[in-house]
Amino acid sequence: MMLRLHSVGSQIASRRKALGFSQSDLARKAGVSRATLEALENGRSGELGFSKVSNILSALGLELKLQEANLQRPTLDELLEEDRDDKGLDRRR
């Protein structure tokens, strides 16, 4: 599944809130401006450099994972497995 930057931004916002960070806290930890983080979280950032996104993810304990593109729609089994993986991550927090 290919994620758009606004989707990544909403996931960053969710993780930030779950960890109890303010935007200012996370921006400081990641070495970006609060305005940049706010724009990313709200889907208003145009292009954002990889190093900024990587720093933000790292500050949240997250990482990007590369895999071969699957040009087919996911099967029900794949979606269910992804859901189980996501729930497992929630329990580890």
Side-chain angles (χ1 to χ4, degrees), residues 25-59:
D25 293 335
L26 178 56
R28 195 171 19 265
K29 270 185 89 154
V32 300
S33 72
R34 193 206 56 77
T36 295
L37 180 60
E38 189 272 333
L40 173 62
E41 288 186 355
N42 291 297
R44 291 194 323 268
S45 62
E47 292 296 317
L48 194 59
F50 175 77
S51 63
K52 287 182 182 179
V53 173
S54 179
N55 289 346
I56 292 167
L57 294 174
S58 180

Side-chain angles (χ1 to χ4, degrees), residues 15-91:
R15 175 73 172 184
R16 175 183 60 76
K17 291 172 186 174
L19 293 173
F21 293 153
S22 68
Q23 285 182 336
S24 295
D25 293 335
L26 178 56
R28 195 171 19 265
K29 270 185 89 154
V32 300
S33 72
R34 193 206 56 77
T36 295
L37 180 60
E38 189 272 333
L40 173 62
E41 288 186 355
N42 291 297
R44 291 194 323 268
S45 62
E47 292 296 317
L48 194 59
F50 175 77
S51 63
K52 287 182 182 179
V53 173
S54 179
N55 289 346
I56 292 167
L57 294 174
S58 180
L60 292 170
L62 300 173
E63 64 184 19
L64 287 177
K65 179 180 175 183
L66 297 178
Q67 63 186 41
E68 287 188 37
N70 182 357
L71 301 179
Q72 300 174 351
R73 294 179 70 179
T75 66
L76 178 57
D77 288 336
E78 290 170 336
L79 292 172
L80 290 172
E81 179 64 30
E82 184 177 310
D83 186 53
R84 280 191 293 274
D85 289 346
D86 288 347
K87 287 179 180 167
L89 288 174
D90 289 341
R91 279 187 243 118

